[in-house]
Amino acid sequence: MKRNSLRQQIADALRDEVLTGRLPAGRDFTVKEIAELYGVSATPVREALVDLAAQGLLDVEQHRGFQVRRFTPDDFVSMVEARNLVTEGIFRRVEGDEMREVPADVIASVRRRGEAAARAARSGMLDVLIGCDIRFWREVAALSGNPHICEFLDRIRTQTWMYSIPYLRAHPTLAGVCWSDHVALVDAVRDRDLAAARRVITDYNEHTLALMAKLAPR
């Protein structure tokens, strides 16, 4: 197996571990530990960990190894604001004359992702929701046609999930707790209706901030 491919596979696997909370915030580990866990050499592991640190998911501890990054309530509020600004830009681009109408098959694909995420949210299936929600927003970001926007939004969304997951897992039941209006957002994008998209996103942000304020009071 090529080293670059192995590096990406290790990075993806560790990213999933962080997102599911199996590698919780503050968890320390070394290159050697991860290399032994996956039965691979140290080089692709080190490269994968450096990649994840560059994405803001890990902190590098000088001469010690790596630590899953801890986010504060203030960090979370700032991240929600950042993702909102990026999302607003995407919708403006979709609405604007400079961008062609989004093809029906693309909208249909985003809608399927949204429906899957909404079902998981309503039923309280957190692990399924995390995966579906991240893929949904990747497809939404792709509407911008700008890979840098896609990468930035994906990074911010991953970080907000990292902060939220421990508090969500501690909740006795998650059925209907998380935001689930993904399809309404797709309809607004399809109609190039920026005002409707803004209303959905405003509701989303208010819902998310209120939920975290309740589950993780300062």
Side-chain angles (χ1 to χ4, degrees):
M1 184 176 293
K2 293 182 179 179
R3 196 176 80 185
N4 284 347
S5 175
L6 185 57
R7 167 184 181 172
Q8 187 59 55
Q9 287 184 37
I10 295 168
D12 289 344
L14 289 172
R15 190 174 189 264
D16 288 344
E17 293 291 295
V18 169
L19 276 172
T20 57
R22 289 188 290 268
L23 279 178
R27 168 74 151 80
D28 296 296
F29 52 85
T30 64
V31 171
K32 180 181 178 182
E33 178 184 348
I34 299 301
E36 291 177 349
L37 177 65
Y38 289 112
V40 297
S41 66
T43 299
V45 170
R46 184 178 296 105
E47 293 171 340
L49 293 175
V50 169
D51 289 344
L52 293 176
Q55 295 170 26
L57 308 187
L58 305 178
D59 288 322
V60 181
E61 298 189 296
Q62 195 69 23
H63 306 303
R64 293 178 59 190
F66 295 82
Q67 183 182 86
V68 180
R69 176 164 291 182
R70 296 179 184 272
F71 293 105
T72 68
D74 286 339
D75 289 331
F76 180 74
V77 172
S78 295
M79 290 186 291
V80 170
E81 180 183 9
R83 78 184 187 192
N84 182 54
L85 290 172
V86 175
T87 305
E88 167 75 10
I90 293 171
F91 294 152
R92 281 189 177 278
R93 186 171 174 81
V94 172
E95 182 198 46
D97 293 334
E98 76 278 7
M99 185 173 180
R100 62 183 173 82
E101 186 172 350
V102 181
D105 62 327
V106 173
I107 287 294
S109 177
V110 181
R111 189 183 185 89
R112 285 193 296 273
R113 296 289 191 195
E115 289 170 347
R119 285 195 300 271
R122 289 193 293 267
S123 61
M125 300 172 64
L126 183 59
D127 288 337
V128 176
L129 171 59
I130 293 167
C132 291
D133 183 75
I134 285 177
R135 287 190 290 272
F136 169 78
W137 284 101
R138 282 176 182 164
E139 292 199 15
V140 170
L143 298 177
S144 70
N146 186 319
H148 298 288
I149 290 176
C150 297
E151 180 182 350
F152 180 76
L153 185 60
D154 190 56
R155 179 183 306 181
I156 292 295
R157 294 201 57 77
T158 299
Q159 291 173 346
T160 57
W161 272 118
M162 283 176 61
Y163 175 83
S164 305
I165 285 166
Y167 303 109
L168 291 171
R169 289 204 186 283
H171 198 276
T173 176
L174 289 176
V177 169
C178 295
W179 181 79
S180 60
D181 280 343
H182 301 72
V183 175
L185 183 59
V186 177
D187 290 343
V189 173
R190 177 200 60 201
D191 298 337
R192 302 162 71 92
D193 187 342
L194 181 60
R198 276 178 171 154
R199 288 193 295 272
V200 175
I201 291 297
T202 296
D203 175 72
Y204 172 37
N205 290 335
E206 290 177 351
H207 178 102
T208 302
L209 291 171
L211 178 61
M212 284 300 103
K214 177 181 178 181
L215 299 183
R218 293 172 183 263

